[in-house]
Amino acid sequence: MDVEHLFTLEHLLFSSRKCRSCGKEKDLLTDFYQTRKDRGAYPSSYSYECKTCTVKRIVQKRKQKWDPIV
């Protein structure tokens, strides 16, 4: 039974992921940070929060932490 024609490499590899913060589906390799660099390019080595949401979260936390009292 030959099933190679039914599947492509794209079906076996994750190319997109849904962000946990914003809920949008984005490209895995360009829009998510790689958290475990020693594991290579496996999907499990990328975060579940996109880069834009991560930057927004960090900026918001720093504003709350370093907001001077006037």
Side-chain angles (χ1 to χ4, degrees):
M1 182 177 196
D2 187 23
V3 294
E4 288 182 21
H5 68 280
L6 297 176
F7 298 102
T8 61
L9 187 61
E10 186 72 27
H11 288 98
L12 299 176
L13 298 175
F14 293 107
S15 61
S16 64
R17 176 175 279 175
K18 187 175 180 181
C19 176
R20 286 187 178 174
S21 298
C22 64
K24 296 179 184 175
E25 191 161 326
K26 297 183 179 184
D27 185 41
L28 182 66
L29 300 176
T30 59
D31 294 325
F32 290 89
Y33 286 116
Q34 189 175 13
T35 57
R36 298 181 184 139
K37 296 185 189 314
D38 61 334
R39 292 200 180 178
Y42 293 112
S44 62
S45 65
Y46 289 89
S47 68
Y48 287 92
E49 185 178 45
C50 67
K51 288 181 179 181
T52 55
C53 291
T54 303
V55 170
K56 287 178 187 177
R57 178 177 52 87
I58 297 299
V59 167
Q60 201 59 10
K61 291 286 184 179
R62 286 186 180 169
K63 281 183 180 179
Q64 289 175 0
K65 184 178 180 182
W66 297 106
D67 192 20
I69 300 173
V70 180

